[in-house]
Amino acid sequence: MADIKELESIASQVRRDIVRMVHANNSGHPGGSLGCVEYFVTLYFEIMNHKANDFDMDGFDEDLFFLSNGHISPVWYSTLAHSGYFEKNELATFRKLNSRLQGHPATEEGLEGIRIASGSLGQGLSVGLGAAMTKKLNGEDSLVYTLHGDGELQEGQIWEAAMYGAANKVDNIIATVDYNGRQIDGDVEDIMSLGDLEGKWRAFGWEVFTEDNGNDMQSVINAMNKAKSLTGKGKPVMVLLRTEMGQGVDYMTGTHKWHGSAPNDEQLTTALDQLEETLGDYVMA
Amino acid sequence: MTDYPVLGKKDTRSGFGDGLYELGQQNEDVVAMCADLTGSLKMGAFKEAFPDRFFQAGIAEANMIGMAAGMTIGGKIPYTGTFANFSTSRVYDQIRQSVAYSDKNVKICASHAGLTLGEDGATHQVLEDIGMMKMLPNMCVINPCDYNQTKAATLAIADYEGPVYLRFGRPSVPIFIPEDMPFEIGKGIMLSEGTDVTIVATGHLVWKALEAAKELEAKGISAEVINIHTIKPLDEEIILNSVMKTRCIVTAEEHQINGGLGESISSLLCRTIPTPQEFVAVDDTFGESGTPAELMTKYGLDTVDIISACEAVMMRK
């Protein structure tokens, strides 16, 4: 088990990468990315059994991860780079012409770590279920992880997948919702309330629990380990992970406004002052 | 002209069902998914024989396409089955992002395409599917013409790495493609050579094109009949070689003119050998309830329509 301090130090660097990547393009989605840092670092450095240095599209005998809310690609790209999937300096190409780091994750350019395109919301749970079913057919006991935005749950396909997963006992998948309560137009509660979200997943037949401290590393580790312990029991598993959009940069929290906006030069400096450089910043191209 | 004896009569969807069952025996990586239309798609034999590799998705097509994309990760070759409209327009964004853009090895198998679905009416008679599918990068589009060709295509696409749209239909139609004729993706078939006019047909219209050529022959007109089963990638060579000889062309398909095979051929010819062309296809309208035969007549997709199109296009040379 990794040392918490070590994971927190990785998280700080990932947060620096996120704000620098989005700032460099004056485009991208920093808010949700910052809020999910603990989840990504936990998943890639503590929870998943995965082959960072030997990426293979089929992913035999390793756990798989699918990002359904593809717009938070900066946090994924930074985590993948620090895990060893590709050189961290490639982060400087994010959203640039001819880059493998597309605005939303894609497979076409062959970026290691990405197994499906995402961005158009609502599709990742179905993809995750399919990959989990293939793992069962192949006789593997590896797990499939997916991440979704809470606003994304307004998409109907999510509930088709929810129904299928429970009805067919796909119990080797752990889905997580980034439950930050915000979406691009405002608070989820105001745009289209999700109501009793835990109750909904339970009614759909999922094993579900809420973790209130989604930005506390130890809490996230505990939650994901708990989720793992619930797999293999005839039900798919859902973790509702309460996070704070913009976590780590004070002026980006408490609002939906940094869902899809980039900081200017001054705001970048303010943000970086709050985030310790731990593993070394990637070099600007 | 070359004679094609009728070997029997069957629906093309049965060619799919029988091909899928045979494929299941040959290839353990093949899995099948269906959105509550197992009977209509003739997937029952596969389901019975390989229950572990059959996935009933329920009436939830978007999820089915997404799951199929996911199932390819780990080496499976998913064949999804539902009606053509639910295989395309209903799930276009899922296909675009999770299958085509992600270049996943999913075979989207679509039955009841076109007007010949019949009495159910326009809600179910998709006439835009070829257009939607051919516009997607990475997508291969196949529309076989009879039972034997559909069965052969079903088997062949398993060996092709990448997304495929396989389109077939509901009614019982003549079988005339020899059982042992190889199916080569992207290769048109020269059914009958001629010198006065080229007829390029796909799907249910291929048999009608042969009937038309026979009647034209009696009128002293020599028609060349080409079967294009793969609309994308298009066999440009067979078409260009033919129009260099005949200098006019008729395209015939059970689809809208907009977005169809004829449009692909127009696009090819205007860039290479500008050639007079007539379209036997549905002209920017929805279908309606009726028997398949009545609908094909009302919407101008009969043998007689191909004959008059040939006569008209020859006047424009």
Side-chain angles (χ1 to χ4, degrees), chain A residues 57-58 60 64 66 106-108 115-120 123 126-127 129-131 133-134 137-138 157 160-161 164, chain B residues 31 33 52 55-57 60-63 66-67 69-76 93-94 97-98 101-102 104 138:
Chain A
M57 183 55 83
D58 281 320
F60 294 117
L64 304 179
F66 297 99
T107 56
E108 193 163 82
R115 292 190 168 88
I116 197 98
S118 61
S120 175
Q123 302 186 26
S126 307
V127 172
L129 286 173
M133 284 144 61
T134 285
L137 280 178
N138 288 343
Q157 187 182 346
E160 292 185 5
Y164 186 95
Chain B
V31 297
M33 314 179 99
D52 294 347
F55 299 87
Q56 173 58 264
E61 296 83 4
N63 182 51
M67 290 197 303
M71 287 203 81
T72 65
I73 298 165
K76 300 303 167 207
D93 188 46
Q94 285 76 18
Q97 176 171 286
S98 293
Y101 184 38
S102 297
K104 295 302 180 205
N138 293 336

Side-chain angles (χ1 to χ4, degrees), chain B residues 32-54:
Chain B
M33 314 179 99
C34 186
D36 196 32
L37 286 168
T38 312
S40 298
L41 270 284
K42 305 289 181 190
M43 296 169 88
F46 184 98
K47 181 186 169 184
E48 288 292 311
F50 315 105
D52 294 347
R53 287 192 272 145
F54 177 81

Side-chain angles (χ1 to χ4, degrees), chain B residues 11-20 146-148 150-152 154:
Chain B
D11 44 1
T12 51
R13 59 182 165 152
S14 286
F16 165 69
D18 292 348
L20 186 66
D146 74 350
Y147 170 89
N148 283 344
T150 308
K151 187 176 173 190
T154 303

Side-chain angles (χ1 to χ4, degrees), chain B residues 3 10 14 36 46 52 59 72 118 120 138 152 158 166 168 187 191 251 264 270 275 278 301:
Chain B
D3 190 41
K10 253 185 191 175
S14 286
D36 196 32
F46 184 98
D52 294 347
I59 311 168
T72 65
D120 279 349
N138 293 336
L166 182 67
F168 41 89
K187 277 279 174 207
L191 288 175
T251 52
S264 291
C270 77
T275 305
E278 292 288 330
L301 304 182

